[in-house]
Every structure is written in C-alpha cells, then in structure tokens.
Amino acid sequence: MEADPSTAAAANGSKVINQQPVMEDNPSRRFVCSATAECALKRRCVPCGYKILVHGDAETAANQRPERCPRMKADATKATFPLLQPAMKMLILHDSSLAFTSMLKGFVHDMHQLTVAIAEPRALILKKSPDMAKRIKKLDAQGVAIHFEVDPSDLQPLGQFDRVLWNFGDAADDAFFQHIATSLLPQGQVHITTKNQHAIVAAKAARGLTPVASVVFDRSFTPGYKVPYSDCDTIVLAAEDVVVSDLVQPVTAALTAQVRAMLVQAKESKTERPTKKKPAEKPTVDVPYEKEYFDLMNLKPKGKKHKIKRKMEYEANQEGKSRPSNRVLPVRMENGKRKKGW
C-alpha cells in the first residue's frame, strides 16, 4: 500500500502545497541586490530594510511606503535591471499594458532583441484602453515584436531566448513550465516575479528546470513601473546551477541581523512631533448690563479697561434722562410744508 504523499513529506521535514512536497526555504538560495542592501545599511532606508527582513516585530520601526526610498527619489526616470544584460535576447510574457516593455527599450542595445507574447487578442486590449494603439504602433516601429493570442504552452514559433520574463503571472500554469525549456538558449533562465512560492512548486515538475535562486524584488530599480505589491521575489529557473548575477549577494543571517539592528535603532531615534498647545482662554469681564451696553452702542470688546471706561461714559451720558426719551424727532420740511410719511 502506497503511503500518503502529505504524510511522507511531513516525515521528511517538507512542506506540502497542492499535494507536492516543497523543501523549506534555503537561506543560501535567497539573494538581494547589493544596491538594496547598501541602501538599507548605509542610508538607513526603512523600506529597503523590510525588503530583506520582510517581517518586523514590536521592537523594529514600522514599515514605510516604497516611495520613501532615497534611490527612487533620485532616479525617478531611470530604470535598471540587475538580473539582465543589455545584449540579451528577451521574451516578455503577458505584458498587456506594455509598461514593462517600454522600460526595457531604453535598457537593451537593440530593440529587435525584445519579443512580447500576450494571450489576449489585440481588439480586446484596444477596447479596454484606446490609447494602447499609439503605444503598440510606436513599439512596432522601433523593432519590438508584439504577438497577440499566444498560447503560453506553445512558444516555440517565437524562437529561443536568453531570458524569459513573467511578472505577476499565473504560476500554476503547468503547461507553461513543461514546455518553456525548449524556448531557452544555452545558459538561459526564466524569471518569474511573484509574491508566493507557487512558482517554485510548479517549477519542481518542469522538464529540465530547477529553481536556482530567489532574488528580492526591488521596486526602486523601476520607479515608473506600477506593481500590485512590492513584498515579492523574483524566482530564477534554469536548467543548471548558474551564476544569477554579479550584482546580487546572498541573504545571510549576519545581513538579516544587521538590518534588524538598523530598524530597532531607527525606532529608538524617532522623535515624536511636538503637538501644538491650545491658546489659553482669556478671562471674561463681568460688567453689569454688558450685553445691553454693547448691543446698543454697537461696540466690540477690546479688553477689560476698554469695557469699564466706555461703560462709565455711557452711564454718565444717561444721567437725568428718562426712558423712553421725550426728545421730539426732527421734522423734514419741503416747500414750507411737512413732508408726508414722517
């Protein structure tokens, strides 16, 4: 009788996802760009620190928006790709907005090196966004090959590539992983940016591809590229154990400890903003008949001395007068006669 896969995996210390055993994350396989680590430690950047640490605790400073990174403010229009080289031939999958392709066109040496494969039909994309017609026409004129209604499991007609890039795609597409190896050149790699580890699970069943590394995704390298979330990794798949890039370094326990110490110190050195004190209320002066006096004279109070002085003047002028006054109102005369209505 065959044993249950989940029971066997649990006995070996593995994690079961979708009935497929996956070993626990290997720290030596997780990498981070050297620029990200340098920004976190030297510039004391909190967003870059959480890209490495991922989860904080009560002793660390709270995470901040990725836009707070000083590198994103400095290079707002410049995009860099540490895992790619300008001379590589690349295939971009499911970039329906062509935003990522537009950023790559300033990075590669020749625009003919870029190929875009989109599963949706061209008419549907233009219906969703009519402005896409100008972008498609511009990229097509520059030499970018854009293919619509492409089946991810059948990419052989498009040729072979050094890098196959898939950002935030459906990592559960087993047909893609089973046939993607035929679309890679020697030393070719597949880069899948995802938030979960389902891409590694699917890659385990791929033909001839194994997960080589998991690189921390840094949004600061592509400031103008909008992503649904920033706490994700780029899974690198290759046919053999190759060097991912010279611009990355492994996430070691020492690096994680340094980042955590930086976040703890950032919380301790954070000073609270001083709160504005409310101005003290001025004491009111209790003067007899104050309301009647100010209403009659149409005056505005300007202090205690002013109130008392004007009050005394008002009362002095009222001495000997009876209320209501017996004073006869003036009569308006016109041509020696009293005008009617008065």
Side-chain angles (χ1 to χ4, degrees):
M1 182 176 179
E2 296 182 358
D4 188 5
S6 60
T7 306
N12 296 330
S14 304
K15 187 185 297 183
V16 177
I17 302 177
N18 295 337
Q19 300 298 328
Q20 296 184 13
V22 180
M23 300 301 294
E24 294 291 343
D25 294 341
N26 188 356
S28 62
R29 292 292 184 180
R30 191 165 187 263
F31 294 83
V32 64
C33 296
S34 301
T36 306
E38 182 180 358
C39 183
L41 297 178
K42 293 186 177 181
R43 298 188 180 184
R44 307 181 62 81
C45 178
V46 175
C48 291
Y50 271 97
K51 292 172 186 175
I52 302 173
L53 190 63
V54 182
H55 300 292
D57 50 31
E59 298 180 356
T60 58
N63 197 359
Q64 300 176 359
R65 295 282 304 172
E67 292 81 2
R68 299 289 299 274
C69 177
R71 292 182 295 124
M72 182 171 289
K73 297 179 181 179
D75 301 332
T77 58
K78 183 179 179 181
T80 56
F81 303 91
L83 301 181
L84 305 177
Q85 295 180 5
M88 290 181 175
K89 188 178 180 181
M90 307 176 196
L91 171 64
I92 301 100
L93 295 177
H94 302 295
D95 187 18
S96 57
S97 64
L98 298 177
F100 188 70
T101 306
S102 299
M103 302 192 72
L104 276 172
K105 71 178 184 180
F107 176 76
V108 297
H109 290 163
D110 188 2
M111 296 295 292
H112 294 83
Q113 302 169 209
L114 297 179
T115 303
V116 184
I118 303 175
E120 298 177 350
R122 180 190 181 110
L124 180 60
I125 294 178
L126 295 180
K127 184 178 180 180
K128 292 180 180 179
S129 178
D131 296 338
M132 286 294 298
K134 296 181 180 179
R135 181 174 294 183
I136 294 173
K137 184 178 180 180
K138 183 177 180 180
L139 292 175
D140 193 15
Q142 293 175 346
V144 180
I146 304 176
H147 302 273
F148 298 93
E149 300 184 41
V150 178
D151 185 6
S153 61
D154 187 15
L155 300 176
Q156 293 182 359
L158 302 180
Q160 292 184 326
F161 304 90
D162 296 308
R163 296 291 184 270
V164 176
L165 312 177
W166 192 0
N167 291 342
F168 313 105
D170 185 9
D173 191 352
D174 295 337
F176 164 77
F177 291 101
Q178 291 178 0
H179 299 88
I180 190 58
T182 58
S183 299
L184 294 177
L185 291 170
Q187 303 295 323
Q189 300 176 9
V190 180
H191 295 178
I192 302 177
T193 303
T194 179
K195 189 176 181 178
N196 49 47
Q197 298 297 325
H198 292 289
I200 298 181
V201 176
K204 290 285 184 179
R207 297 179 181 177
L209 287 180
T210 56
V212 177
S214 175
V215 183
V216 176
F217 177 77
D218 191 349
R219 185 179 171 185
S220 301
F221 289 117
T222 55
Y225 182 55
K226 296 182 180 180
V227 297
Y229 36 75
S230 58
D231 52 337
C232 52
D233 294 345
T234 299
I235 312 300
V236 179
L237 309 176
E240 55 185 4
D241 196 358
V242 296
V243 178
V244 179
S245 175
D246 297 335
L247 302 178
V248 298
Q249 65 184 55
V251 179
T252 59
L255 177 61
T256 305
Q258 292 178 4
V259 172
R260 187 183 182 281
M262 182 273 296
L263 294 175
V264 171
Q265 188 176 2
K267 183 178 181 180
E268 294 176 353
S269 61
K270 183 179 179 181
T271 57
E272 297 182 358
R273 296 181 179 179
T275 57
K276 295 183 179 180
K277 296 182 179 180
K278 295 183 179 180
E281 297 181 358
K282 296 182 179 180
T284 58
V285 181
D286 187 11
V287 180
Y289 311 105
E290 181 180 2
K291 187 175 185 304
E292 179 185 357
Y293 160 66
F294 283 108
D295 291 345
L296 183 63
M297 301 297 292
N298 194 20
L299 299 175
K300 296 182 179 180
K302 297 183 180 180
K304 181 178 179 180
K305 294 182 179 180
H306 172 76
K307 292 181 180 180
I308 296 177
K309 181 179 179 181
R310 298 302 297 271
K311 179 67 176 178
M312 294 175 63
E313 293 178 356
Y314 170 74
E315 292 179 351
N317 294 333
Q318 298 299 324
E319 291 182 359
K321 296 182 180 180
S322 59
R323 297 183 183 181
S325 176
N326 295 327
R327 183 170 64 90
V328 180
L329 295 175
V331 179
R332 184 174 180 181
M333 305 297 291
E334 189 173 308
N335 297 330
K337 296 181 181 180
R338 181 178 296 184
K339 187 177 180 181
K340 294 182 180 181
W342 283 71

